[in-house]
Amino acid sequence: MRKPSKCAGSENKREMKTEILQPTEESVRTCARYIGRGGVVAFPTETVYGLGADAFMPDAVREIFRIKGRPNDNPLIVHVFSPEQIEDVAQDISPLARKLMQSFMPGALTLVLKKKKGVPDCVTAGLPTVGVRMPSNPVCRKFLRACARPICAPSANTSTKPSPTTAMHVWNDLNGKIPYVLDGGSCEIGLESTILDVSSDVPKLLRQGGIPKEELERVCGMSVPVQAGGTVALCPGMKYKHYAPKADVLFSAYYASMVATIAKRYDMLVLQGKNPVILCLHANAEKYGARHIFDMGENYDSYAGKLFACLRQADDEKFDTVIAEGVSSDGIGAAIINRLVKSSGGKII
Ligand code: TXA
Ligand code: MG
């Protein structure tokens, strides 16, 4: 016999219908109340949608892993409303970490800090550190303020799928598994936060993301080494398959004759009976002639903003191969490259 659970998230699992809620004061309160009863809801941030629970309710936290199909050795980021809440989950915060908080919070930066004893192990996957982030999205801030508790959350996708950047993406992945998705529209940045480990003397960049490395280095006053490989426990999530649509993803390196190489590969795939689509910057769109393209906009910010949505759209429109234009590693370009390398499984042309 199954043991009945007190967790709100496991009530009526079968019958549960997922509602997308417009972000009124009342629906924000509804979501916060549900969190308070040990439930799990999805909420917007400026990076991607999150799947949240009270960080101090282990049953609720475990429910996140179950709903997402996430391996439990992959820790969650704790989302806070205020600097004071950071003190509830972290300790021994260095002067450099405080400087980074002042410069980038609220915003798309996650700091890995020494964790406070009371933070449940299921949040941090048993690590002595905790990832903390203070989102800037106004709907998210209303939600976090109403919860009045640190909220741990991974991205609100099914594990391995591209992260969700609209409420509808969340609904498509998790319909029937959570009661509410708080709708904040399209995420402004569209790629996840940058993760910087400041739990020891030398800051380490664990994940490229919404805040470019150059900006962090300006504030740190030193160069910030990128954690090579990412397979060790420092950032456990990096070893898993990520951001993968059903379609095959190919990703071009960034060089002068990239457009010609991509066009040639596209034509070859068509000859093989494939149905490819090209992700390209607006400036290159016409160069691909009648080939199928998704226009990623004028610059790297728009490319980042549309990337996950376009990977999902490729599946919806039954394209079987995505060929993505490469970008330079300037600014958010580094994060675009990182996500494309991962979603292509390293298939670079
Ligand atoms: O923008 C974001 O960061 C989004 C939104 C929802 O805030 N969240 C997000 O969460 O991307 P998730 O779970 O998809 O990715 C979190 C990453 C994982 O790779 C995990 O291993 C790493 O953060 N992480 C979490 N806590 C950590 C810690 N204490 N030390 C090292 N890495 C950590
Ligand atoms: Mg994720």
Side-chain angles (χ1 to χ4, degrees):
M1 216 174 76
R2 286 227 332 259
K3 209 174 122 203
S5 163
K6 287 191 208 84
C7 173
S10 45
E11 283 165 14
N12 305 324
K13 247 172 237 158
R14 282 188 176 203
E15 298 87 318
M16 189 186 281
K17 274 216 185 88
T18 302
E19 275 182 79
I20 295 182
L21 300 180
Q22 291 312 300
T24 59
E25 295 298 324
E26 196 192 331
S27 56
V28 167
R29 268 199 307 274
T30 301
C31 289
R33 265 201 306 269
Y34 193 68
I35 292 275
R37 288 164 46 213
V40 175
V41 302
F43 60 94
T45 81
E46 68 278 23
T47 58
V48 301
Y49 277 70
L51 185 63
D54 185 322
F56 287 98
M57 292 190 184
D59 281 349
V61 176
R62 279 189 280 270
E63 195 60 9
I64 293 179
F65 286 87
R66 192 192 63 77
I67 290 169
K68 239 186 101 91
R70 181 182 178 100
N72 58 12
D73 66 348
N74 191 1
L76 305 180
I77 293 171
V78 175
H79 297 69
V80 296
F81 175 73
S82 63
E84 292 72 48
Q85 274 185 342
I86 296 180
E87 315 287 336
D88 294 343
V89 295
Q91 61 184 8
D92 298 341
I93 302 172
S94 68
L96 176 64
R98 292 198 186 276
K99 198 169 161 193
L100 288 160
M101 284 173 196
Q102 272 187 349
S103 303
F104 297 107
M105 290 188 179
L109 178 66
T110 295
L111 290 178
V112 171
L113 302 162
K114 286 200 184 105
K115 82 162 188 174
K116 238 182 191 153
K117 228 169 151 194
V119 180
D121 272 345
C122 54
V123 174
T124 61
L127 293 175
T129 54
V130 60
V132 183
R133 149 161 154 71
M134 190 191 300
S136 62
N137 174 284
V139 176
C140 182
R141 289 190 59 70
K142 281 185 191 157
F143 167 70
L144 291 173
R145 191 178 53 202
C147 291
R149 306 271 290 169
I151 299 296
C152 62
S155 49
N157 51 304
T158 302
S159 267
T160 80
K161 290 192 71 174
S163 301
T165 55
T166 66
M168 205 57 213
H169 294 160
V170 180
W171 193 89
N172 286 336
D173 278 15
L174 303 181
N175 179 29
K177 297 183 171 170
I178 52 172
Y180 309 119
V181 182
L182 193 55
D183 191 349
S186 283
C187 299
E188 201 187 324
I189 296 175
L191 299 181
E192 300 87 342
S193 61
T194 301
I195 305 182
L196 188 70
D197 184 342
V198 284
S199 64
S200 62
D201 294 344
V202 186
K204 290 182 230 60
L205 193 63
L206 302 188
R207 180 175 72 182
Q208 308 263 11
I211 304 284
K213 180 173 183 286
E214 301 89 311
E215 284 186 33
L216 293 179
E217 288 177 333
R218 226 183 11 250
V219 171
C220 290
M222 61 174 109
S223 83
V224 173
V226 179
Q227 180 66 40
T231 50
V232 287
L234 274 175
C235 194
M238 301 307 269
K239 70 175 180 275
Y240 291 109
K241 186 178 170 194
H242 262 88
Y243 320 119
K246 287 197 197 93
D248 246 4
V249 179
L250 306 175
F251 158 50
S252 169
Y254 177 68
Y255 53 94
S257 58
M258 172 177 79
V259 170
T261 306
I262 290 175
K264 213 162 120 193
R265 178 59 74 101
Y266 180 105
D267 294 345
M268 214 166 76
L269 286 164
V270 170
L271 281 176
Q272 292 165 359
K274 297 277 191 188
N275 185 24
V277 62
I278 299 167
L279 310 190
C280 65
L281 281 179
H282 183 70
N284 293 334
E286 283 195 357
K287 299 181 191 158
Y288 292 107
R291 296 174 183 89
H292 291 295
I293 60 147
F294 288 156
D295 187 330
M296 306 305 280
E298 307 289 339
N299 53 41
Y300 289 179
D301 286 338
S302 57
Y303 195 140
K306 291 171 181 224
L307 179 58
F308 287 144
C310 284
L311 293 179
R312 284 173 177 262
Q313 195 183 337
D315 282 349
D316 293 345
E317 297 185 15
K318 308 283 182 252
F319 290 107
D320 55 25
T321 315
V322 174
I323 314 177
E325 282 190 345
V327 296
S328 80
S329 61
D330 300 333
I332 199 158
I336 297 175
I337 293 170
N338 171 275
R339 302 310 187 270
L340 283 173
V341 167
K342 286 188 154 273
S343 61
S344 67
K347 280 182 276 187
I348 298 176
I349 59 171

